[in-house]
Amino acid sequence: SRPHSPTSRRRRKLCFRRLERGDPARDATRSLMSFAGVSVVDSAKHCTCDTSAVYAGADSGYHLLMVRDYSRTKVQLPTGESATTGLFTVGEYDWYIEYYPNGENPNCRDFVSLYVTRHTLYDCEGEEDVEAKFSFSLVDQLEKHKPVYIHGTNKTCTFSSSAPSWGSDRFVRRDALERSAHLKGDCLTIRCDIMVVCKDHKIEDAAGTVPDINQHFGHLLQNKVGADVTFEVGGETFAAHRCVLAARSKVFMAQLFGPMKEGATTSSVIQIKDMEAKVFRALLSFIYTDSLPAMEKDSMEEDEMSEVMDEGREEAAEFEMWLQWLEDLFVAADRYDLQLLKLICEKQLSEHISVSSVTSTLALAEKHHCCGLKEACLKFIQVQSPSCLQTVMATSGWDHIAVTYPWVVKEFIAKLASNQRK
């Protein structure tokens, strides 16, 4: 999730129409989250924007953005220009979505960018912030619409007067989207889920604003009060609480209290091998807070990169570092049987598959028995052009798969043959 500066936007309002009760497109959208309206983007340039503003009376709700004539919106909205929905209400606050078919800035011109903004009537400096989780997904990605998934896979963002917008500048690669089954008849439906986790008004009690349980446990990890076990990872030590670790992970339960028990005394240090310190730190953070932390950056590496690279190359290098960190965290989640964290990593890896990374991601998925990630990789390879397919198969990563997991190559050939018969 990235904040979005309101001063940097260039918007062009396209046509939106409201779906009334009884419309099949609306009736098909019901789920556990409260329904908060539908906006339809048409390709006509000069038409009045008809707002679809449906009130979701709960703190959680979703809004659908239907893009009709997708190809023409790409032509009409160059990089940096967006179509903006009308207002919809979730958790007593008004919101709107910005859709950039050619990316919000030149660095993400090959992607569709999406942002959600909390709308305010006046620019009031004294207005308090709104804390919320949000998620963008495609309407047929049903597993991503469950509240437990949305809560677990997205961090809490602060929508303030200085940062009213948050979103994804790289929601989906445009070429992958255009080859996928998500684009049907040149139409696309995007779902935006919002969970307000902290209301704008204060909770008046003796303690002031009440933090949630995840914040309490996060503070417990930071201040180390009552810590009774120490781990050494990559030359760094980490203090933690046996009961918390055991409650969250069956592997830690066995390691700390079962047959695998290590370090019976609190003075013992448990060695963790084959893992970087920053990965273990992220693992602990998730165990205590139930949310994925941002990747920590090494300040020295960052300074060195800035000196020798231009902005585009620096961003590419940072992305590669983030991808490697995510893969390592995926392996750690599997190692300690943290299924939600593994699912979060799977989601992120599935959304960032590229020609250069697909073979390593596919090998990772097969090694750790992740069927969803494996399927995403195979689908990505299937829809590539012949030249890109040759590039993939010419890599050492593909040779590694052919030697180590020959059945995966057979599955891929079977899928290609099946597609040709259709």
Side-chain angles (χ1 to χ4, degrees), residues 18 22-23 36 57 89 122 149 157 169 224 281 288 323 335 339 344 352 402-403:
R18 178 175 180 141
D23 190 311
T89 305
Y122 304 103
Y149 181 83
C157 298
D169 60 355
K224 305 175 185 178
R281 185 178 291 107
Y288 278 77
L323 199 62
R335 176 174 175 177
Q339 291 303 312
I344 294 171
H352 293 87
V403 172

Side-chain angles (χ1 to χ4, degrees), residues 278 295-303 305 321:
K278 63 181 179 182
M295 183 190 75
E296 60 182 80
K297 295 181 180 179
D298 185 278
S299 57
M300 186 176 297
E301 288 183 5
E302 192 173 5
D303 291 341
M305 279 199 307
M321 290 171 57

Side-chain angles (χ1 to χ4, degrees), residues 1 33 61-63 97 114 116 132-138 141 144-147 149-151 153-155 157 159 166-168 171 190-195 347 351:
S1 300
M33 303 282 282
Y62 69 96
H63 188 81
I97 299 167
L114 294 169
V116 61
K133 292 176 181 284
F134 70 92
S135 171
F136 288 112
S137 61
L138 296 165
Q141 296 175 315
K144 298 182 180 180
H145 302 163
K146 299 176 182 178
Y149 181 83
I150 297 164
H151 183 273
T153 58
N154 297 279
K155 72 174 186 178
C157 298
F159 291 81
W166 288 80
S168 173
F171 171 63
I190 297 164
R191 171 168 165 153
C192 175
D193 288 88
I194 298 175
M195 288 182 167
K347 173 197 172 188
E351 293 175 351

Side-chain angles (χ1 to χ4, degrees), residues 365-385:
E366 186 64 24
K367 181 177 180 180
H368 295 276
H369 313 289
C370 186
C371 296
L373 184 57
K374 174 182 174 181
E375 188 65 22
C377 290
L378 291 177
K379 284 183 178 179
F380 177 86
I381 299 173
Q382 279 179 264
V383 300
Q384 296 306 306
S385 64

Side-chain angles (χ1 to χ4, degrees), residues 277-333:
K278 63 181 179 182
V279 175
F280 189 73
R281 185 178 291 107
L283 185 81
L284 281 182
S285 178
F286 177 83
I287 287 174
Y288 278 77
T289 67
D290 210 33
S291 61
L292 183 67
M295 183 190 75
E296 60 182 80
K297 295 181 180 179
D298 185 278
S299 57
M300 186 176 297
E301 288 183 5
E302 192 173 5
D303 291 341
E304 290 174 355
M305 279 199 307
S306 299
E307 290 176 4
V308 300
M309 293 184 181
D310 57 33
E311 185 177 349
R313 291 175 58 202
E314 183 179 345
E315 183 169 322
E318 286 183 1
F319 176 75
E320 291 300 322
M321 290 171 57
W322 173 81
L323 199 62
Q324 184 60 57
W325 172 81
L326 194 65
E327 289 180 353
D328 293 342
L329 192 56
F330 173 87
V331 173

